Amino acid sequence: MDNKETFQKIYDHLFNLYGPQGWWPLLEVNGCNPTKTGSINGYHPNNYEYPKTKNQCFEVCIGAILTQNTSWPSVEKSLKNLRKLIEITPENIINLDIEQLKEAIKPSGYYNQKSVRLKGFSEFFIKLNHVPTREELLKLNGVGPETADSMLLYAFKVPSFVVDAYTKRILINLNLIDGSEKYDKIKELFEENVEKNLEIYQEYHALIVEHAKNYYRKKENYITCPLLKIIK
DNA sequence: TTCCAGGCAATAC
DNA sequence: GTATTGCATGGA
């Protein structure tokens, strides 16, 4: 089985298991039928129009920074705390008192770093008059490869594949990589073998995260991953 | 109590 | 160039 076939089988299997994931979650989505995935919590399965506004685009970016090494429910709390103080716009983040900002985002952890980075990103976002390139994003303090790709894929709708710790863990378990590969190499592996399509890239990463939550938290569960039987 | 969560940057070797 | 460490809260 060649790589393209393998990556297609993985995608099909995960999609059949979990369905459309409705990423990236937003504080407010309208007209989405609640599903198992939970559009009531801001997910919007089968709707790829989001983010619909510049402020929603910004909200996704802010969430991408906040969710670094942190679970989404904690980020959601932070965003709701922020929303109580201000409408979430770059101007308002810049003008918000740093101590108030820290207090609001405390649930997501690393609040001393993240507060400064949010303000820095807001300055960048205000000056944007085009879709940012990956290189531009990577220059920003607090924006590494995963965050940059998440912003491109889910905020700016650019088909840039997102790799995270789960992705690497799964590929190692499936014996598709040996573990020495760096971020860009793994990203390349997906982009060479998966159809370059925004919706597919968005779903693929979200499905990997969902699947990994089920099978890749504890090492003893790795061997029970159903994908092992699929790609033989 | 311990471990980990949708990483990143600085420092050490 | 690769490996390690600090950052921090909250939930399992």
Side-chain angles (χ1 to χ4, degrees):
Chain A
M1 176 158 42
D2 65 16
N3 271 341
K4 286 191 179 175
E5 195 180 341
T6 301
F7 281 92
Q8 182 71 51
K9 284 202 170 185
I10 293 171
Y11 181 84
D12 290 343
H13 188 77
L14 294 179
F15 194 86
N16 287 334
L17 270 180
Y18 307 115
Q21 294 300 296
W23 275 37
W24 186 281
L26 289 157
L27 285 176
E28 293 181 25
V29 288
N30 302 309
C32 291
N33 298 320
T35 70
K36 217 167 146 186
T37 315
S39 65
I40 51 170
N41 293 321
Y43 294 89
H44 42 88
N46 267 326
N47 187 329
Y48 302 94
E49 294 176 10
Y50 292 101
K52 292 184 177 179
T53 65
K54 200 158 188 177
N55 282 346
Q56 283 191 324
C57 172
F58 178 71
E59 183 188 317
V60 172
C61 294
I62 291 309
I65 291 173
L66 289 175
T67 200
Q68 290 165 2
N69 210 33
T70 306
S71 65
W72 185 258
S74 295
V75 176
E76 195 176 358
K77 279 183 196 165
S78 296
L79 290 174
K80 284 179 176 170
N81 287 343
L82 261 182
R83 188 66 190 78
K84 278 186 226 163
L85 296 175
I86 54 167
E87 185 187 4
I88 299 177
T89 68
E91 292 84 358
N92 289 343
I93 294 285
I94 289 169
N95 292 328
L96 182 61
D97 175 72
I98 187 79
E99 294 305 323
Q100 278 189 288
L101 178 55
K102 286 181 184 178
E103 192 60 30
I105 66 171
K106 218 165 197 173
S108 323
Y110 306 146
Y111 54 87
N112 287 306
Q113 295 180 339
K114 285 177 178 175
S115 56
V116 173
R117 293 169 181 180
L118 289 183
K119 281 182 175 282
F121 181 81
S122 300
E123 298 279 3
F124 168 80
F125 192 91
I126 282 178
K127 293 178 197 158
L128 268 184
N129 54 2
H130 60 281
V131 173
T133 65
R134 190 167 191 266
E135 291 66 35
E136 287 174 318
L137 292 171
L138 287 174
K139 284 180 193 163
L140 302 173
N141 179 24
V143 178
E146 182 184 342
T147 304
D149 289 329
S150 294
M151 289 178 180
L152 288 170
L153 184 60
Y154 295 107
F156 296 102
K157 301 179 181 175
V158 175
S160 187
F161 205 93
V162 178
V163 174
D164 69 340
Y166 284 145
T167 311
K168 189 170 181 179
R169 218 175 283 176
I170 292 176
L171 291 192
I172 292 173
N173 194 43
L174 298 180
N175 210 22
L176 292 171
I177 59 173
D178 65 34
S180 65
E181 297 83 356
K182 289 195 288 190
Y183 185 99
D184 287 355
K185 185 72 184 172
I186 299 172
K187 172 184 175 66
E188 207 176 289
L189 184 59
F190 276 94
E191 295 191 342
E192 283 173 350
N193 292 291
V194 178
E195 180 190 346
K196 188 167 186 171
N197 172 281
L198 181 71
E199 297 178 9
I200 292 175
Y201 276 23
Q202 288 187 340
E203 292 292 0
Y204 211 145
H205 172 65
L207 287 165
I208 282 174
V209 172
E210 179 59 27
H211 183 66
K213 283 177 181 169
N214 294 327
Y215 293 95
Y216 288 85
R217 297 220 175 194
K218 294 182 179 178
K219 193 154 191 175
E220 56 263 35
N221 295 334
Y222 289 11
I223 54 169
T224 67
C225 171
L227 294 174
L228 285 167
K229 298 176 188 170
I230 302 301
I231 65 161
K232 276 188 290 196

